[in-house]
Amino acid sequence: MKTKVATQRPIYLDNAASTPMDERVIEAMVACLSQEGTFGNSASKDHVYGWEAAEVIENARDQIAQAIGCSPLEIIFTSGATESNNLALKGLSYAQYKINNPRRTIITSSIEHKAVLESTEQLAHHGFNIIYLKPRTDGTISAAMLKEALTDDTFLVSISQANSVLGSMNDIDELAQITQDHGALFHSDCAQSNGLYDLHLAKSPVAMVTLTPEKIYGPKGVGALYLKKDLNIELEPLLVGGGHEKGLRGGTLATHQIAAMGKAFEIMAQEREQVIAHVSALKERLIGLLKTIDNAQINGYNEDGSTPHLPGVVSVSFKNIEGQYLIPSLRKVACSTGSACSSKELKPSYVLSEIGLDDDLARASLRLSIGRYNTQEDIDLAFEQIKQTVAMLTKK
Ligand SMILES: Cc1ncc(COP(=O)(O)O)c(C=O)c1O
């Protein structure tokens, strides 16, 4: 048996990859696991164990709906943001094909998460036409760009609310309105931003939204797709069996995960202002400190710095350094070069390349993402480490 060596773990600044779970969320989850808890199968209609589990699920649906301003009937549970994106894009496209809708074009952006981009790649193989909008240098998509790309052949537009590498945010209501005016549906991957904002979906033209609690102190492995009910959107399910979730997503519902997701959304709805204030103040401090490093460049903002931004995400690049050694040298800070999902690749982040960074600069980049449990001390210590490491790696 290996002996466990007591080591101090690095400062955690990778909250855009995953956040630690809130103790109150853990409590909600654990309540579904034990013999005394709501461990039953929510599809069991014949006894109290099933009814209790179904009640937990419906309570979570209500909590999520309240937090994003929609009806609980509009929430379909899935296994996470990846599945929700797949269901929105492929489910809608296959259904369009089935009902012989002649429209065949999907518009998205070239910096979406891979769960969107690989779905559209698959759809391209099935004969759909995909348009990838190249973002502005701050990582956003403008109304004009979308207007120019939309045609009578477009049936779906998928643009995320916030980019996971840069933190820059799109005005999804504006983009969705333009899309709706062209007779197409608008989907948004809100994995990075959900819970932080009341999306007022009942009043919004956004048709489908990808949701996950994993960035708001909830668990991984669970998510949801919001589907605007007034639009009667037809989706072809990707997983069948058992008829769960109105036949759109077969599979026994993970009561403990869903209860925890509901709790995470409920807490964020109540505490979002405090969380945003705390995290934004730490981000401002970190950006201020990083700007004192001569060769640092902050990404994801336009020239006057007015780009709407996630409260906790900082993308920074360092000119003229040996970029490939940056992350390995930063032993006391846990952060990433791009999104966690592509961090095994040696290639520079496609998001940074798409906004115009050359390969060297993209490789010499960090995504530092702050969460509610970080402190000012974390920021100051992390900055000292980054400053020393960059000085050591700067080419003479
Ligand atoms: C914007 C965005 N979409 C989708 C995902 C995929 O989430 P998951 O791997 O939990 O399915 C992530 C994960 O970080 C993300 O940041």
Side-chain angles (χ1 to χ4, degrees):
M1 204 175 89
K2 276 191 194 160
T3 351
K4 205 169 168 196
V5 183
T7 49
Q8 210 192 344
R9 298 211 285 174
I11 297 161
Y12 190 71
L13 289 182
D14 205 10
N15 290 276
S18 187
T19 49
M21 270 168 68
D22 187 308
E23 290 299 330
R24 295 164 288 179
V25 172
I26 296 174
E27 221 173 274
M29 176 182 269
V30 170
C32 304
L33 297 172
S34 65
Q35 251 189 68
E36 293 74 39
T38 35
F39 67 87
N41 185 329
S42 60
S44 300
K45 305 280 181 237
D46 303 324
H47 51 70
V48 67
Y49 297 91
W51 306 333
E52 281 173 3
E55 203 177 309
V56 169
I57 303 277
E58 294 320 312
N59 181 48
R61 226 187 280 277
D62 284 344
Q63 290 167 315
I64 297 163
Q66 279 268 324
I68 59 174
C70 69
S71 156
L73 300 171
E74 299 177 305
I75 304 287
I76 305 296
F77 287 114
T78 66
S79 66
T82 296
E83 188 188 326
S84 299
N85 285 340
N86 273 262
L87 181 59
L89 279 100
K90 293 194 271 181
L92 182 73
S93 303
Y94 298 151
Q96 295 289 300
Y97 186 76
K98 216 169 155 182
I99 62 171
N100 280 325
N101 183 332
R103 295 187 181 211
R104 284 286 175 273
T105 298
I106 300 172
I107 300 175
T108 186
S109 89
S110 56
I111 61 166
E112 294 299 307
H113 189 271
K114 288 286 182 183
V116 168
L117 295 179
E118 291 188 11
S119 293
T120 52
E121 270 170 43
Q122 279 191 342
L123 290 166
H125 288 304
H126 290 293
F128 289 93
N129 175 35
I130 318 291
I131 295 175
Y132 296 97
L133 300 178
K134 193 175 169 66
R136 294 183 282 208
T137 52
D138 63 356
T140 59
I141 299 297
S142 69
M145 286 170 173
L146 180 58
K147 276 186 193 155
E148 204 184 322
L150 276 158
T151 67
D152 291 346
D153 196 53
T154 312
F155 67 94
L156 173 64
V157 174
S158 179
I159 306 281
S160 55
Q161 186 176 31
N163 183 267
S164 59
V165 177
L166 301 165
S168 48
M169 295 180 69
N170 291 304
D171 183 342
I172 54 171
D173 277 345
E174 184 186 29
L175 299 178
Q177 189 58 57
I178 296 165
T179 304
Q180 197 184 63
D181 295 346
H182 273 77
L185 295 176
F186 187 87
H187 163 252
S188 187
D189 175 354
C190 291
Q192 287 291 339
S193 51
N194 64 192
L196 294 172
Y197 311 98
D198 179 349
L199 296 171
H200 300 289
L201 288 171
K203 291 184 229 137
S204 154
V206 175
M208 297 189 279
V209 175
T210 287
L211 303 161
T212 172
E214 72 181 308
K215 326 287 183 190
I216 49 165
Y217 318 99
K220 291 171 264 300
V222 64
L225 182 66
Y226 158 83
L227 267 187
K228 191 177 257 316
K229 104 174 148 320
D230 297 349
L231 297 175
N232 296 320
I233 302 166
E234 292 271 342
L235 292 187
E236 184 71 6
L238 304 182
L239 300 177
V240 288
H244 306 82
E245 297 300 88
K246 302 186 193 127
L248 289 175
R249 203 277 180 179
T252 300
L253 292 170
T255 319
H256 60 301
Q257 300 279 74
I258 290 172
M261 177 169 179
K263 191 71 189 170
F265 273 79
E266 182 187 67
I267 294 172
M268 280 309 287
Q270 289 161 357
E271 299 176 7
R272 56 170 65 112
E273 279 171 30
Q274 291 142 257
V275 174
I276 291 178
H278 172 71
V279 173
S280 311
L282 295 182
K283 181 175 87 165
E284 289 317 310
R285 183 174 182 88
L286 180 59
I287 290 181
L289 290 168
L290 288 169
K291 281 183 175 165
T292 65
I293 302 179
D294 282 347
N295 43 347
Q297 159 187 319
I298 308 290
N299 306 311
Y301 288 92
N302 57 14
E303 270 173 22
D304 64 14
S306 62
T307 304
H309 231 259
L310 283 176
V313 175
V314 178
S315 166
V316 59
S317 306
F318 301 97
K319 293 170 201 141
N320 194 37
I321 71 163
E322 304 282 357
Q324 70 274 32
Y325 303 120
L326 186 57
I327 288 268
S329 312
L330 267 179
R331 298 260 167 80
K332 295 184 195 151
V333 185
C335 61
S336 72
T337 43
S339 71
C341 326
S342 58
S343 60
K344 279 200 193 116
E345 295 175 18
L346 283 172
K347 283 191 287 183
S349 153
Y350 64 94
V351 173
L352 297 177
S353 305
E354 278 298 293
I355 60 158
L357 271 62
D358 65 33
D359 283 4
D360 284 345
L361 196 54
R363 266 193 213 97
S365 301
L366 299 174
R367 180 189 67 179
L368 302 151
S369 47
I370 304 162
R372 70 180 300 175
Y373 302 121
N374 286 119
T375 61
Q376 188 171 309
E377 195 188 4
D378 289 344
I379 300 301
D380 293 351
L381 288 172
F383 169 69
E384 280 311 319
Q385 255 278 298
I386 294 168
K387 190 172 135 183
Q388 283 168 23
T389 308
V390 169
M392 185 179 82
L393 298 177
T394 299
K395 294 176 196 160
K396 302 284 174 318

